[in-house]
Amino acid sequence: MKPMAHVSLDGVSKAFGFVPALSNITFKAGRGETLCFAGENGAGKSTLLRCICGLLRPDTGKILISDKDVFSASARRTLWKQIGVLEQGASFFYEDLTCAENLQLYAKFSLGENDEKQVLRVLERVGLSQSRVQRFRELSGGMRKRLALGRLLLQSPTVLVMDEPFAHLDEAGEEVLLEMIEEYRCAGVTIFYASHRIDLASRNADRVIVLEHGRIVDTAQRGNISSDGSETLLQ
């Protein structure tokens, strides 16, 4: 028997002006399931992720998390707090605050917590303990991505949405992220991410959903995902 769907999309479509970005996207994902969205640039991956996490409202169709409409008024009060988001750019950080100060501010005002020791543990986990007093504007792209991963670690999401999470990370950073994904999977978190790194997706994704011009054109299940990073995932 298949596990009950934690997240479901039914007939989701989105256009920007006369240009369709998503067309009739339908699928379900259970708790602890990891889905990777693959495809060329402009295939609709980022648009789909932004719809799932509630940052972009689709023109038609429904997106449900735990049977609740993501865009309902009740979801805004409760559900959105359960969604962890990592966008391509390290967004929503203050340029003149240090790594530690940015995480402390987020923990205090977004999560209602004020645990400096937890912030220091998170910074150590993502390899930024030596850079904790460095200002955000001084960080490299890879360090900014690590800080964004640290922000996710402060949350306890039930759904995790990440856009190109492996971008700008070195090999050590990639391993940190892979460990995080596995920990969240084991905790029952439903994970969605877009990536061109099919070699890494083959290690952690239960399904790779291939998008082309805003449509689902193929799906690869765990065990049938090519690990060589080739463009052709399925035969």
Side-chain angles (χ1 to χ4, degrees):
M1 184 174 63
K2 292 184 178 181
M4 183 179 299
H6 182 209
V7 181
S8 64
L9 280 73
D10 184 14
V12 171
S13 297
K14 178 67 181 178
F16 297 102
F18 295 103
V19 180
L22 298 173
S23 300
N24 195 33
I25 301 295
T26 299
F27 63 81
K28 296 180 180 180
R31 292 186 182 275
E33 192 171 8
T34 299
L35 275 64
C36 172
F37 300 122
E40 298 289 338
N41 291 335
K45 303 184 300 295
S46 296
T47 300
L48 178 55
L49 290 173
R50 289 175 66 82
C51 288
I52 291 173
C53 68
L55 291 176
L56 185 65
R57 185 185 291 271
D59 298 326
T60 60
K62 282 191 175 183
I63 302 175
L64 304 180
I65 298 179
S66 298
D67 294 324
K68 295 180 180 178
D69 189 328
V70 170
F71 295 95
S72 67
S74 61
R76 290 183 179 142
R77 292 192 298 268
T78 59
L79 199 58
W80 285 10
K81 296 179 180 179
Q82 301 173 28
I83 303 174
V85 179
L86 180 68
E87 295 197 87
Q88 283 198 51
S91 306
F92 309 115
F93 288 107
Y94 290 92
E95 293 279 332
D96 290 319
L97 294 185
T98 67
C99 293
E101 289 169 343
N102 264 293
L103 293 190
Q104 288 166 0
L105 191 68
Y106 175 75
K108 182 176 181 180
F109 291 102
S110 296
L111 306 178
E113 301 175 357
N114 191 19
D115 188 343
E116 292 186 14
K117 291 183 179 180
Q118 173 66 1
V119 167
L120 294 178
R121 286 194 292 269
V122 164
L123 287 171
E124 183 175 3
R125 173 72 188 279
V126 298
L128 290 178
S129 58
Q130 300 299 316
S131 304
R132 61 186 181 277
V133 296
Q134 196 168 349
R135 298 187 187 280
F136 182 80
R137 56 180 164 80
E138 301 169 342
L139 302 179
S140 66
M143 294 171 74
R144 292 183 178 201
K145 179 59 70 69
R146 285 174 179 256
L147 188 63
L149 294 177
R151 185 170 58 189
L152 287 180
L153 284 172
L154 290 173
Q155 287 185 262
S156 298
T158 63
V159 176
L160 186 57
V161 176
M162 301 183 290
D163 197 353
E164 294 293 345
F166 297 104
H168 306 299
L169 289 177
D170 56 15
E171 188 173 342
E174 291 173 357
E175 290 301 321
V176 169
L177 177 54
L178 288 169
E179 290 175 4
M180 285 177 55
I181 291 174
E182 184 60 26
E183 289 175 9
Y184 278 124
R185 287 181 71 246
C186 292
V189 177
T190 307
I191 302 170
F192 303 96
Y193 70 88
S195 181
H196 290 91
R197 295 293 305 276
I198 304 306
D199 57 324
L200 296 177
S202 69
R203 296 171 57 180
N204 61 47
D206 296 295
R207 279 182 281 165
V208 172
I209 294 178
V210 185
L211 296 176
E212 185 176 304
H213 303 302
R215 296 180 179 274
I216 295 176
V217 295
D218 223 331
T219 301
Q221 302 288 339
R222 179 183 282 270
N224 295 317
I225 302 170
S226 170
S227 62
D228 62 4
S230 61
E231 291 298 324
T232 302
L233 300 180
L234 304 173
Q235 301 298 325

